[in-house]
Amino acid sequence: VSVPIVLAGRSLALLLLCAVAVAAAGTAAAASGGPNLTVSVANQSVADGGRYVVGQNPRIDIEARSAAANGSLRAALVEVDGETVYQTTDLGSRLDTTRSLPLAAGNNTVRVIVEDDNGSVTAWRFRVYLETVPPSFALSAPVRTEPRHYSCRNVVVEDAAVTLRGRFADRSGVRE
């Protein structure tokens, strides 16, 4: 994605900050009365069906509770692209764990599945995009700069009216 940028004005302060953080809150139980589940990736709450972008391999935090009074959790499983990266059984009434989430560059499908002793299951599926090439920014006016990740060199312009032209490029394909 390459987006043209034009900023104009009499007094202009330009702060370029290319940070990728997408958050959506989520705590849910399956409609069948399955375990209550809360998941976060890189300290951002995630929701079933969500899509998130990270800049490095994150940690996943999982909290699960039995929905039944005096119930217990039988098993929990985390998969990345169909490969099991964490599995545990006989958990008692709750699970609180933080684990590394190994991702490949690009899109990754993550599934978190929790089952209670009644056989009720809560399963979430979401996507995490591991961005290994960050967005870049280049100016074309009033000075020309090379594309750089997250920053460009200092530019001082002494004029009453300033117009900046440039391009923002993001090869990740993320459009949200």
Side-chain angles (χ1 to χ4, degrees), residues 18-173:
C18 296
V20 182
V22 180
T27 300
S32 63
N36 296 312
L37 181 61
T38 302
V39 179
S40 65
V41 172
N43 297 317
Q44 299 295 316
S45 293
V46 300
D48 185 28
R51 185 167 193 267
Y52 308 91
V53 179
V54 296
Q56 61 186 7
N57 278 328
R59 298 187 68 74
I60 184 169
D61 299 303
I62 304 167
E63 294 180 22
R65 307 278 183 273
S66 175
N70 301 319
S72 62
L73 300 175
R74 180 180 297 160
L77 172 77
V78 177
E79 294 178 342
V80 176
D81 293 329
E83 181 178 327
T84 300
V85 297
Y86 174 71
Q87 183 174 358
T88 188
T89 58
D90 299 322
L91 304 168
S93 63
R94 57 187 268 178
L95 168 68
D96 289 305
T97 189
T98 299
R99 302 284 173 180
S100 293
L101 188 61
L103 302 174
N107 283 312
N108 296 267
T109 300
V110 179
R111 286 183 16 135
V112 178
I113 305 165
V114 181
E115 180 183 15
D116 67 17
D117 57 355
N118 294 323
S120 296
V121 173
T122 299
W124 281 11
R125 180 184 172 275
F126 53 92
R127 296 176 71 178
V128 180
Y129 184 91
L130 176 59
E131 182 172 56
T132 57
V133 178
S136 62
F137 182 80
L139 291 175
S140 58
V143 295
R144 189 169 287 284
T145 64
E146 293 298 317
R148 298 194 183 181
H149 303 297
Y150 299 117
S151 65
C152 56
R153 66 185 171 94
N154 292 333
V155 177
V156 177
V157 178
E158 296 178 11
D159 196 341
V162 177
T163 299
L164 295 178
R165 295 185 194 284
R167 294 194 80 68
F168 176 79
D170 183 0
R171 295 186 348 192
S172 70

